Amino acid sequence: MQSVLSTVFEVQPDSKDMLVARIVQLRQDEESLVDPQGEKYGRLKVRVPLLHFMALSVFEDDRYDPILVIETNFDGPPGPFWAQLEAAVGEDLRAILRFCERPSGPTGALFDRVVAAGSRQPIASLLEGHSFQPLIVHIGNRGLDRDRILREAELFHAARTILADADRTAPNPYRSATSATAIHAGLRGALLESFPWLDEPAPARIPADENRSDWLRLGGFLALLLLVLSLPGVLLGLMLRPWWVAVLLSLVAAAAFAASIRDLGDLLRFFGAPDGAAPADARPRPTAGSRLVTALKGLAGVVAMIGVYLAIPSAAAAAAVAPLTGAGFGDIFRASAQVLGAGLASMPASALAILWWLRRLEARDASHDHPRLDEGKLRAMMEREDHIAQNHMGSLVLVKPGVLRAVLLRVGLRGLGLVLRVTEWARRGYLGSMRTIHFAHWALIDNGGRLMFFSNFDGSWESYLDDFIEKAHSGLTLAWGNATGFPPARFLLLDGATQGRKFKAWARHSMTVSLFWYSAYKDYTVDQIERHARVADGLRRRSLTNEEGALWARDL
């Protein structure tokens, strides 16, 4: 299991510059501490083996005091990680926290003890108490812990070294091998002594319990969503007799709302062909027959859901009420099913009413087409980019006011996050057809008033945003469409991020400088890590078929 947290503290405004200087000093100290292989950030790499990425950033806003954000991506639950981090850089973090404001909540007394002069009070509890759980997380190499990533990279390079045959005067048995399976057998024999873990089965990347939890959470989310959308019809079904009057009113309301939303057809066409389709290697191109099968399966699933929606609550109500009233089980079951049926019929009207309300708000939204960019901050951001294969981005934006915005932001991001947890191609690291993100997440702070985004990604910032705009713009619009100044969107899915120039300017304006940023495997992209994993999985097997061997050899 991999975890993503953002830890937030308000900064004393008069101490902001000193805080920045102290973070920069920590970065310089870590860059001077090398590991046994001569790489920078050796202290973190050796003493915090659970850590994948870590960043320290300071955000400024004229409407708020500055905030310090410690972003961490790590393996396992928070407790062991915080203990490792404190043992490695605890005193440095204590010095940094002394520039922060005393929290007004229940952690205030603990904060005082942590930052007191000469204090030895552990800081892990304070850091954990100020950590925000993200609304949505995407992980590019899900299920691969840091040590496994590094082990499999070492194995890959060892295999490539053997194949390269440094001694050009000696015959290379791998060049003369007649098949990929022969190369596999030879390499496995040569590497097994140095990598004895090849004889052990690979840990499941998504254990059964975690997979079951993902599906149960998605199912619970959908059930709650259906319940909320059906409430108007349920209430009408309880008040009106006969029950079909409630159904008729719901259908009339749905038709009225649909007629009043003039660009509803664009939304329907989007769902017929959404952007960001899965890549070719993650989902084969469907044939006419497979599309029919998929449609029939979808129809069967809908029928099954309707049956469950009607049957289980009706049976439960009948079982509970019948003994108390003396009425027949069948009569109560039938009456309950009729009320729930009225609720089911009202779901389209409820959804269309929300869309109608949303479009009225969107039509009045203001955008920020040409935000002012601080040239000094922009220069500092660009100086910190493109030094290794990966880059880092941190963004903080205001959320648009209103009840509907608050609800849609949480429901949209939470739902998207749960879908990504169970979708096959997303589990393999893809967002649409792009696979360049190691860890990314959105989180709400300040009682939902501001939306924070962090990402550790491959390539340049420009190419990263271009990929999003071209291949996953609807997800980006869903995530940021409720933020002030975002390019005009429709239905929280259309337009928005497709306006590339405006979106890039808005995104740059929302960013801050990554004062401190650590990557445990700075030379590897998401695709390279998956490539290493495939080679390692092949070498774990004692033998491969000819077809399996040919596929495996491509990665070498």
Side-chain angles (χ1 to χ4, degrees), residues 374-520:
D374 184 302
E375 292 298 326
K377 188 171 82 169
L378 179 60
R379 192 161 47 249
M381 283 190 285
M382 297 180 72
E383 287 174 356
R384 296 284 296 147
E385 294 172 354
D386 300 331
H387 290 282
I388 59 176
Q390 306 148 355
N391 274 300
H392 177 259
M393 173 181 174
S395 164
L396 185 64
V397 295
L398 289 171
V399 174
K400 294 172 182 175
V403 173
L404 183 65
R405 297 286 194 186
V407 172
L408 290 180
L409 176 61
R410 288 163 175 80
V411 171
L413 287 183
R414 185 72 69 187
L416 179 59
L418 292 173
V419 169
L420 290 177
R421 295 283 296 180
V422 302
T423 306
E424 179 186 356
W425 46 267
R427 284 180 166 186
R428 294 174 56 187
Y430 287 99
L431 280 179
S433 57
M434 58 184 283
R435 184 162 66 176
T436 56
I437 299 172
H438 292 266
F439 289 85
H441 73 280
W442 277 270
L444 286 169
I445 63 171
D446 299 328
N447 290 322
R450 290 194 283 179
L451 180 65
M452 188 164 55
F453 171 72
F454 284 102
S455 179
N456 298 284
F457 58 92
D458 296 325
S460 69
W461 181 83
E462 285 282 346
S463 64
Y464 175 61
L465 267 291
D466 285 338
D467 275 348
F468 260 124
I469 292 167
E470 293 172 11
K471 302 171 183 176
H473 53 80
S474 59
L476 212 59
T477 303
L478 175 63
W480 265 325
N482 285 304
T484 59
F486 189 77
R490 293 181 297 148
F491 302 109
L492 280 183
L493 290 171
L494 307 180
D495 302 336
T498 62
Q499 303 166 66
R501 181 188 57 79
K502 294 179 181 179
F503 170 66
K504 284 185 178 181
W506 180 87
R508 265 300 190 196
H509 181 260
S510 73
M511 292 172 58
T512 193
V513 181
S514 300
L515 299 171
F516 177 100
W517 180 52
Y518 163 74
S519 167

Side-chain angles (χ1 to χ4, degrees), residues 266-349:
D266 293 341
L267 181 65
L268 298 178
R269 281 188 289 274
F270 165 81
F271 282 111
D275 74 284
D281 69 328
R283 185 173 62 187
R285 191 179 186 88
T287 63
S290 65
R291 285 196 294 267
L292 177 60
V293 170
T294 301
L296 291 175
K297 286 182 178 179
L299 180 60
V302 170
V303 171
M305 285 184 63
I306 292 174
V308 170
Y309 171 86
L310 295 175
I312 295 179
S314 299
V321 174
L324 300 176
T325 62
F329 180 93
D331 293 336
I332 297 177
F333 181 92
R334 189 180 309 107
S336 300
Q338 290 171 350
V339 170
L340 290 171
L344 186 68
S346 73
M347 288 182 188

Side-chain angles (χ1 to χ4, degrees), residues 117-131:
S119 172
R120 306 301 295 175
Q121 173 74 32
I123 66 171
S125 297
L126 179 64
L127 295 175
E128 193 164 0
H130 280 258
S131 296

